[in-house]
Amino acid sequence: MTTHIESEEHKALRAAVAALGRRYGREYLTRTVAEGKPLTELWSEAGKLGYLGVNVPEAYGGGGGGIGELSIVLEELGAAGCPLLMLVVSPAICGTVISRFGTEAQKRRWLPGIADGTRLMAFGITEPDAGSNSHRITTTARRDGADWVLTGRKVFISGVDMADAVLIVGRTEDARTGRLKPCLFIVPTDAEGFHKRPIDMELAAAEKQFELVLDDVRLPAEALVGGGEDAGLLQLFAGLNPERIMTAAFAIGMGRYALAKAVDYARDRTVWKAPIGAHQAIAHPLAQAHIDLELARLMTQKAATLYDAGDDIGAGEAANMAKYAAGEACVRAVDQAVHTLGGNGLTREYGLASLITAARVARIAPVSREMILNYVSHQTLGLPKSY
């Protein structure tokens, strides 16, 4: 793939991460998933090489870059067949929120470990009855002396079994108005009253999904991100834009992996006199998939550039568009790849069938394509809201 619009540093990062990805590859991921284990070896090596922390400030052991660099890392690992989902969560969401809003003590405690991969933080926002409506979050935090006490439930929380802590989105009561407002808390996974239960998924992934129950979890005052109660909404959105950008990178990498498999197959597979890739019915849909992935990557680069430049409003629109475009492009690329291989596309030997389920994730999480269309309808086009 051409990368002429990227800097030499970005090209070098892309090539280096691609080389790491090739050393592990799809076979490593498939074997590890079958064993029910996390991708510890790849995560650890990527951390030691500095790839997990490219967006963390240099003062705290990171690379001093941004989401643009981190999205390259995830895309290239995905294109090699071994994406690290927790890149979306630990450095992108949690690392960003703590870098931007954390106290000095929180930064010193968490960022170096997030950067080198020795500490991992999950992110808990989704609730059983709230869905996409963050205003319906019922996890609440009440003061008890100097402490906070958290009560509530979360679902579809990735990687809790590997995490040292979860960045939990809760709500506190505004002393002036009595209304509930969002606040973010760093909750250790070994805290008393913190319970996790794995969700049985038909998704072949190394990272497991969990339901959390917070049963009067007592936290010290310093567990509140930033130490104050007035920046919760800002903190939340500071984490959600990187999440969308990284989900787009995840989807683009997966789409590239599937497309490359299909192109190799179409180039070599001969049924009549010529390879099947010579037939336009095979070639054109693959070309279209490539175009769609490249367009999605451009929007992802735009979103990352805007976010890293500090344009949160511009990045919000672009991040949503990037996530939408990448999710659609990924699903189409995977579908066409499987179709190109015919029956072989459903065999374990070629390893594409599991991507049919995985590709759907980019359409659904962290926000559905319908909610993105709602966002663009009323934020960009100025149409009235229906909800």
Side-chain angles (χ1 to χ4, degrees), residues 208-386:
K208 296 179 176 64
Q209 301 295 314
F210 290 87
E211 177 181 359
L212 304 182
V213 175
L214 304 166
D215 185 10
D216 286 342
V217 176
R218 182 172 292 274
L219 301 169
E222 56 265 26
L224 178 65
V225 173
E229 297 178 49
D230 293 324
L233 206 55
L234 281 174
Q235 293 171 6
L236 183 56
F237 285 115
L240 295 185
N241 283 336
E243 183 180 33
R244 284 154 172 70
I245 294 166
M246 291 292 287
T247 302
F250 188 94
I252 293 163
M254 187 188 302
R256 283 177 54 197
Y257 174 80
L259 180 62
K261 284 280 190 186
V263 168
D264 285 346
Y265 188 89
R267 194 182 288 121
D268 296 334
R269 171 80 165 162
T270 302
V271 177
W272 306 110
K273 292 181 179 178
I276 61 172
H279 303 300
Q280 291 177 350
I282 301 292
H284 284 185
L286 295 176
Q288 183 67 52
H290 175 72
I291 290 169
D292 289 345
L293 288 167
E294 282 290 296
L295 290 172
R297 181 203 264 180
L298 271 174
M299 183 54 81
T300 304
Q301 289 170 323
K302 175 181 178 179
T305 300
L306 289 170
Y307 185 82
D308 290 336
D311 184 355
D312 286 342
I313 294 174
E317 178 187 67
N320 275 292
M321 290 180 176
K323 190 268 176 189
Y324 181 95
E328 297 302 297
C330 176
V331 167
R332 287 194 293 265
V334 167
D335 184 69
Q336 195 57 47
V338 171
H339 201 66
T340 300
L341 271 68
N344 283 330
L346 299 175
T347 63
R348 288 194 187 276
E349 178 186 355
Y350 287 92
L352 289 176
S354 62
L355 296 182
I356 297 172
T357 307
R360 305 296 305 187
V361 174
R363 272 186 172 170
I364 296 167
V367 58
S368 71
R369 57 181 178 171
E370 289 74 22
M371 286 307 295
I372 290 176
L373 291 173
N374 280 335
Y375 178 94
V376 173
S377 296
H378 62 75
Q379 293 288 340
T380 303
L381 304 182
L383 293 171
K385 288 177 82 168
S386 63

Side-chain angles (χ1 to χ4, degrees), residues 37-322:
K37 297 177 181 176
L39 303 172
T40 306
E41 298 86 359
L42 176 55
W43 181 267
S44 178
E45 186 168 352
K48 287 174 184 171
L49 292 170
Y51 300 147
L52 302 183
V54 289
N55 67 311
V56 173
E58 289 183 71
Y60 302 97
I67 294 301
E69 286 76 19
L70 196 62
S71 64
I72 288 173
V73 173
L74 182 54
E75 183 193 335
E76 291 303 326
L77 289 176
C82 49
L84 292 169
L85 174 64
M86 295 310 290
L87 269 171
V88 180
V89 181
S90 193
I93 301 175
C94 302
T96 296
V97 169
I98 293 171
S99 294
R100 285 184 62 172
F101 296 100
T103 64
E104 186 59 33
Q106 288 167 344
K107 291 176 185 179
R108 284 200 308 269
R109 182 178 178 189
W110 291 103
L111 292 181
I114 287 174
D116 67 16
T118 56
R119 303 196 89 175
L120 195 142
M121 191 178 287
F123 179 63
I125 181 172
T126 308
E127 294 191 357
D129 300 319
S132 297
N133 186 358
S134 58
H135 299 291
R136 287 190 64 185
I137 286 176
T138 58
T139 296
T140 53
R142 59 180 172 81
R143 279 205 178 273
D144 184 18
D147 295 344
W148 289 100
V149 178
L150 258 65
T151 306
R153 288 172 65 205
K154 300 290 181 182
V155 288
F156 299 117
I157 311 305
S158 306
V160 181
D161 54 332
M162 302 180 285
D164 300 283
V166 184
L167 187 61
I168 293 284
V169 181
R171 300 174 80 190
T172 62
E173 187 176 292
D174 189 315
R176 290 163 295 184
T177 65
R179 295 172 64 182
L180 293 176
K181 57 185 181 180
C183 281
L184 276 65
F185 293 87
I186 299 170
V187 182
T189 51
D190 61 358
E192 189 175 345
F194 181 97
H195 307 288
K196 65 181 186 292
R197 181 183 67 83
I199 301 172
D200 194 13
M201 306 288 289
E202 287 202 358
L203 181 67
E207 301 85 5
K208 296 179 176 64
Q209 301 295 314
F210 290 87
E211 177 181 359
L212 304 182
V213 175
L214 304 166
D215 185 10
D216 286 342
V217 176
R218 182 172 292 274
L219 301 169
E222 56 265 26
L224 178 65
V225 173
E229 297 178 49
D230 293 324
L233 206 55
L234 281 174
Q235 293 171 6
L236 183 56
F237 285 115
L240 295 185
N241 283 336
E243 183 180 33
R244 284 154 172 70
I245 294 166
M246 291 292 287
T247 302
F250 188 94
I252 293 163
M254 187 188 302
R256 283 177 54 197
Y257 174 80
L259 180 62
K261 284 280 190 186
V263 168
D264 285 346
Y265 188 89
R267 194 182 288 121
D268 296 334
R269 171 80 165 162
T270 302
V271 177
W272 306 110
K273 292 181 179 178
I276 61 172
H279 303 300
Q280 291 177 350
I282 301 292
H284 284 185
L286 295 176
Q288 183 67 52
H290 175 72
I291 290 169
D292 289 345
L293 288 167
E294 282 290 296
L295 290 172
R297 181 203 264 180
L298 271 174
M299 183 54 81
T300 304
Q301 289 170 323
K302 175 181 178 179
T305 300
L306 289 170
Y307 185 82
D308 290 336
D311 184 355
D312 286 342
I313 294 174
E317 178 187 67
N320 275 292
M321 290 180 176

